[in-house]
Amino acid sequence: MKGILILLIILGHNTILINNISGLFDYLYSFHVLTFFILPWFYTTKFSWNSTIRRSTKLWFWYLAFFVVQVVFYNLLFDTTFSLSETIKAFFLGGHTLLKGVTGYMYLWFMPAFFFSMLVRDLYTIANKPSRIAMVLTSLGIVIFFAFRAYIIYNYIAVIQGIFFAALGIVASQLTLPNKNSHRALVVLLFVVCSVLMFIDATKGFVHPFMPFVAFFAIWSIIEWLKKYMNWLQYLGKLSMFIYLTHPLIFQLLLRVVPNNYSQVVYGTIIFLLTTLISIIVSWCMQKTIKAIPVVNKYL
């Protein structure tokens, strides 16, 4: 599942295709990142403080590493006025706007937002039944609120993003995964219908709030049907964090070195394939390097 979603995220960051295929941006962003946040709520791992600390250490280390590199290059390559206070503020608050202002890119928002979302998951895991009921009801209210309010208005800081994504996960976790072929077929059919409606201006506003849930269960159903043919995606899933961190930089580099002698859709497809391939190779090398250093591998 993570393998499929990281491919969709690479596609979503491909501004050439997004800007030249009508409706693709609204469609992808209605579910692909949100579904990534829902997925951990269906993990069967038991809670432990050690796993929480290790996960948090890993997230913040790589977030800091890529943040520092991007701040340095952004200030070296562009005529910007460096502000230490604004940089520190952007690092800890996260959010699209703040991060873009000091790094030149938005995409690192995912790391702190995921950190806060997973903290909520940890709290939910150890909560008693009355507390869980309260969290479910609160989450339902949050999801309904954002169904009528544009989420982008509130993506200024990571903690708000994390709480919103955790709310999606909590609501989704109250639903049952389809375990019969007939149920899976209905979910996939519903996803197809909703996908078509997302490309129609008159209906996409009504369908949009349901897309993360419909897409999650539909993709899950497809994987259950075809999992014996999709084992290769597991490897992409294991590399998903490094692929996420590196692919926007690789994409920007390719735009500067690959000549554009084709239509925008063809050119965008070539860039997408190259971005995916190079990101996988770079991520594999990063993972191998980390595993070769026992002390680093222990924590990262």
Side-chain angles (χ1 to χ4, degrees):
M1 188 117 179
K2 288 168 68 177
I4 291 174
L5 293 175
I6 196 63
L7 291 176
L8 292 178
I9 287 173
I10 295 174
L11 177 61
H13 285 159
N14 188 312
T15 52
I16 305 171
L17 291 177
I18 286 293
N19 293 334
N20 285 279
I21 299 179
S22 179
L24 183 59
F25 179 88
D26 288 341
Y27 174 66
L28 277 180
Y29 280 82
S30 70
F31 72 89
H32 73 326
V33 175
L34 306 181
T35 306
F36 219 117
F37 280 89
I38 291 174
L39 182 58
W41 291 85
F42 290 83
Y43 291 172
T44 56
T45 53
K46 293 182 179 179
F47 169 80
S48 73
W49 287 113
N50 286 337
S51 62
T52 297
I53 293 171
R54 180 170 180 175
R55 182 190 69 232
S56 301
T57 301
K58 184 177 182 179
L59 284 171
W60 284 97
F61 175 85
W62 289 112
Y63 174 48
L64 174 62
F66 276 78
F67 180 87
V68 170
V69 169
Q70 289 184 26
V71 168
V72 170
F73 276 93
Y74 185 55
N75 284 273
L76 288 176
L77 297 175
F78 300 95
D79 185 17
T80 62
T81 302
F82 176 75
S83 169
L84 180 60
S85 61
E86 286 299 313
T87 301
I88 294 173
K89 175 183 176 182
F91 177 78
F92 285 105
L93 293 182
H96 294 64
T97 305
L98 288 176
L99 286 171
K100 185 177 182 180
V102 299
T103 68
Y105 297 98
M106 295 182 181
Y107 78 99
L108 286 180
W109 68 266
F110 185 97
M111 306 297 281
F114 191 73
F115 166 77
F116 287 113
S117 178
M118 292 301 288
L119 281 186
V120 175
R121 180 181 179 273
D122 290 340
L123 292 174
Y124 183 82
T125 301
I126 61 177
N128 57 29
K129 188 174 181 179
S131 298
R132 284 192 176 191
I133 293 174
M135 292 178 75
V136 170
L137 294 176
T138 302
S139 297
L140 185 59
I142 292 172
V143 171
I144 293 174
F145 173 81
F146 281 109
F148 294 96
R149 300 284 293 179
Y151 159 68
I152 195 170
I153 299 173
Y154 302 92
N155 68 10
Y156 188 72
I157 61 175
V159 65
I160 293 178
Q161 294 175 299
I163 291 174
F164 169 53
F165 294 133
L168 287 172
I170 290 175
V171 172
S173 68
Q174 306 309 302
L175 305 174
T176 303
L177 290 168
N179 55 11
K180 294 182 179 180
N181 285 335
S182 58
H183 296 165
R184 291 173 185 150
L186 287 174
V187 172
V188 173
L189 178 61
L190 179 61
F191 177 60
V192 172
V193 172
C194 289
S195 296
V196 172
L197 294 177
M198 276 297 300
F199 284 89
I200 302 174
D201 289 337
T203 55
K204 69 179 182 181
F206 299 99
V207 177
H208 191 281
F210 302 100
M211 283 299 292
F213 308 107
V214 174
F216 176 83
F217 291 106
I219 295 172
W220 189 287
S221 298
I222 292 170
I223 290 172
E224 286 298 308
W225 276 335
L226 304 176
K227 57 186 176 183
K228 66 179 180 179
Y229 305 108
M230 306 178 78
N231 289 335
W232 60 277
L233 286 168
Q234 292 181 10
Y235 195 71
L236 290 187
K238 293 177 181 178
L239 295 174
S240 60
M241 186 184 72
F242 291 142
I243 292 174
Y244 182 85
L245 288 170
T246 57
H247 82 270
L249 306 179
I250 292 169
F251 170 74
Q252 290 296 328
L253 176 63
L254 288 172
L255 290 182
R256 289 160 173 77
V257 299
V258 177
N260 183 2
N261 299 322
Y262 313 92
S263 70
Q264 288 301 289
V265 173
V266 173
Y267 180 61
T269 302
I270 293 172
I271 294 294
F272 169 72
L273 294 174
L274 288 174
T275 301
T276 302
L277 177 61
I278 297 173
S279 298
I280 292 171
I281 294 172
V282 171
S283 299
W284 180 83
C285 292
M286 291 176 66
Q287 187 182 74
K288 286 294 182 181
T289 302
I290 290 171
K291 287 186 175 181
I293 307 174
V295 176
V296 177
N297 185 52
K298 181 179 179 181
Y299 298 101
L300 302 178

